């Protein structure tokens, strides 16, 4: 396995055009003592993005998503992990981990499968191994990011679940005490 880090200014610039970033002038990981900025959940925030994506039929459009473009390296991102075939034993190239461009916690990254699956509600028995792998990679990346005190995994599904990108993705959030209940 290969772990990577680095600044995310290029990823921020690319994703601003899509409207996923809200009010950030520069990209970088938040550290202890810094505040994360919450994106509004209303019609102008992530919920609004989810409604627009559903209304536009993005799930069924067959068009590449922003995540497909990150996988293809046509949109930059701060990549934290990618399955590596040079590992011993070789790993299939199943997933990619990168920092969220609009973090909702001091540590916020996404774990995505390289094979496009639009929603968690669209998985089948053939996806069992992949889904388990995504969870293991999320746990290992959380450990590498110093989230020893805990973190939250979130998977949004569909319009009512506020899914704004129709490519399955796990949010991993941590670095501060998270509230309950979410949403």
């Amino acid at each position: 396995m290969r772990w990577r880090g680095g600044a995310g200014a290029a990823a921020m610039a690319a994703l601003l055009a899509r409207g996923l970033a809200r009010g950030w002038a520069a990209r970088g990981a938040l550290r202890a003592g810094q505040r994360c900025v919450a994106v509004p959940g209303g019609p102008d925030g992530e919920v609004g993005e989810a409604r627009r994506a559903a209304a536009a039929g993005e799930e069924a459009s067959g068009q590449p998503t922003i995540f497909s473009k990150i996988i293809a390296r046509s949109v930059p991102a701060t990549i934290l992990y990618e399955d590596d075939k040079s590992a011993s034993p070789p790993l299939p190239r199943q997933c990619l981990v990168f920092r969220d461009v609009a973090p909702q916690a001091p540590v916020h990254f996404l774990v995505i499968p390289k094979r496009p699956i639009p929603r968690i509600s669209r998985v089948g028995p053939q996806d069992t191994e992949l889904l388990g792998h995504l969870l293991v990679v999320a746990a290992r990346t959380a450990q590498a990011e110093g989230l020893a005190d805990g973190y939250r995994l979130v998977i949004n599904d569909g319009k009512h679940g506020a899914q704004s990108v129709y490519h399955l993705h796990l949010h991993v959030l941590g670095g501060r005490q998270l509230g309950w209940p979410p949403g």
Side-chain angles (χ1 to χ4, degrees):
M1 293 186 196
R2 185 172 58 213
W3 300 96
R4 293 185 254 181
M12 179 60 186
L15 293 177
L16 273 171
R18 173 112 159 86
L20 294 177
R22 308 270 186 245
W24 291 82
R27 177 66 183 101
L30 294 173
R31 297 293 172 218
Q34 290 182 309
R35 286 184 52 222
C36 66
V37 177
V39 174
D44 294 327
E46 199 64 25
V47 172
E49 287 291 325
R51 287 180 183 155
R52 283 186 281 282
E58 288 185 19
E59 178 182 0
S61 74
Q63 297 296 315
T65 67
I66 191 71
F67 296 162
S68 298
K69 293 174 184 179
I70 290 171
I71 291 167
R73 303 301 198 270
S74 62
V75 170
T78 302
I79 296 172
L80 301 176
Y81 170 83
E82 182 172 18
D83 288 328
D84 186 1
K85 284 201 181 260
S86 67
S88 181
L91 297 170
R93 294 180 185 247
Q94 296 183 45
C95 73
L96 184 70
V97 180
F98 54 93
R99 293 204 187 282
D100 194 294
V101 71
Q104 300 300 298
V107 176
H108 185 175
F109 58 86
L110 303 175
V111 182
I112 65 169
K114 289 192 170 180
R115 179 169 50 90
I117 300 171
R119 302 169 58 169
I120 190 70
S121 60
R122 303 291 192 257
V123 301
Q126 72 279 7
D127 299 311
T128 302
E129 185 177 324
L130 173 62
L131 295 173
H133 181 67
L134 295 176
L135 291 172
V136 169
V137 168
R140 289 184 180 167
T141 306
Q143 182 181 22
E145 289 290 301
L147 299 179
D149 290 334
Y151 51 91
R152 179 170 295 157
L153 294 171
V154 177
I155 300 175
N156 300 325
D157 184 71
K159 179 174 75 171
H160 287 176
Q163 183 178 2
S164 59
V165 178
Y166 281 90
H167 185 125
L168 176 65
H169 54 287
L170 288 71
H171 292 264
V172 181
L173 302 106
R176 66 171 166 83
Q177 179 62 59
L178 299 171
W180 193 261

